[in-house]
Amino acid sequence: MIFETIVTTINADGSPHMAPFGIRESNGLVCIAPFRPSTSLDNLLRSRCAVLNLTDDVRVFAGSLTGRRDWPLRRAQVVMGWVLESALAHRELQLVEVRDDVIRPELLFQVVHEQMHAPFRGFNRAQAAVIEASVLVSRLQMLPPEKIDAELKYLAIAVEKTAGEREWQAWNWLLEQIENFRAAQRGENQA
Ligand SMILES: Cc1cc2nc3c(=O)[nH]c(=O)nc-3n(C[C@H](O)[C@H](O)[C@H](O)COP(=O)(O)O)c2cc1C
């Protein structure tokens, strides 16, 4: 089973970095598997720790893929790292094993601290749709445009029926990103 999370890491200059990652759990360890090249991977190998943020603010997912990474953070408790203010819960991770690979290494972490901050309020279809659309945006270079359009058309139903303000904002950032990508491909000048 894969859970979609926001992983915060520390850049070489000490500043925070965040990116969405689907993580797996096995034998009590958390597995993060970044495709190379990845800033998160470099940071994880250097600092050997991370924070796993579990948030229902899908703007953080969409924002990470559309150049909006300035979300409120506070210091982690046990590891050197950063916790998203909007996290419903977070887990602090220490690297214990690296399964190296030229394409997609697997990094295994022990959970050294865990904290709940706010209750889970139930499933929301628009949030799920934004996560799916974020995955599409992270693969714009690889996917045929017709597939993206067909999936967006379906995902839009859940957004239109169930979104709140945060979900609409995230959704619109993603649509804008797709439009900019296509305009750049057509050779149009984006101001
Ligand atoms: C929901 C979601 C899950 C993702 N999971 C992964 C993942 O498991 N591995 C990966 O390499 N990229 C994943 N991505 C894409 C990365 O977030 C994206 O490429 C990001 O820029 C990571 O690169 P960085 O570490 O250089 O910032 C995911 C994106 C989304 C929206």
Side-chain angles (χ1 to χ4, degrees):
M1 194 170 178
I2 292 179
F3 296 95
E4 306 304 344
T5 71
I6 299 292
V7 173
T8 41
T9 55
I10 310 174
N11 292 316
D13 66 2
S15 61
H17 178 77
M18 68 180 71
F21 279 93
I23 63 103
R24 283 182 291 115
E25 289 179 44
S26 69
N27 302 322
L29 298 179
V30 169
C31 177
I32 303 175
F35 285 99
R36 292 180 188 275
S38 154
T39 303
S40 301
L41 175 63
D42 297 343
N43 291 348
L44 291 167
L45 292 174
R46 188 180 52 253
S47 72
R48 302 187 66 83
C49 61
V51 176
L52 207 61
N53 299 276
L54 312 176
T55 182
D56 62 355
D57 187 347
V58 288
R59 294 176 305 172
V60 185
F61 287 85
S64 295
L65 295 159
T66 60
R68 298 169 175 92
R69 292 180 181 222
D70 195 16
W71 301 101
L73 298 166
R74 61 170 173 270
R75 289 275 182 191
Q77 300 259 313
V78 173
V79 301
M80 285 278 291
W82 301 92
V83 179
L84 264 178
E85 288 281 3
S86 67
L88 301 178
H90 85 273
R91 306 173 103 187
E92 300 183 20
L93 307 178
Q94 200 76 55
L95 185 61
V96 291
E97 187 182 338
V98 178
R99 296 180 184 153
D100 208 1
D101 186 82
V102 285
I103 296 168
R104 194 182 192 187
E106 292 185 335
L107 279 61
L108 300 176
F109 295 84
Q110 193 182 348
V111 179
V112 292
H113 182 69
E114 192 165 14
Q115 222 175 325
M116 309 295 157
H117 305 287
F120 173 60
R121 296 167 66 94
F123 294 106
N124 172 260
R125 293 171 59 203
Q127 289 172 356
V130 168
I131 300 292
E132 288 304 317
S134 300
V135 173
L136 293 176
V137 167
S138 76
R139 296 178 185 164
L140 276 181
Q141 309 271 2
M142 290 175 265
L143 296 172
E146 316 79 62
K147 179 177 167 64
I148 292 175
D149 286 340
E151 297 208 4
L152 285 177
K153 194 173 167 195
Y154 177 70
L155 294 171
I157 299 169
V159 175
E160 281 157 16
K161 284 188 174 161
T162 72
E165 219 169 280
R166 297 190 309 189
E167 291 73 25
W168 270 116
Q169 201 174 16
W171 178 254
N172 286 328
W173 290 343
L174 294 169
L175 294 187
E176 187 184 82
Q177 184 82 358
I178 294 168
E179 194 38 55
N180 287 344
F181 173 80
R182 289 177 176 173
Q185 280 204 320
R186 290 194 299 267
E188 290 171 18
N189 200 7
Q190 290 295 297

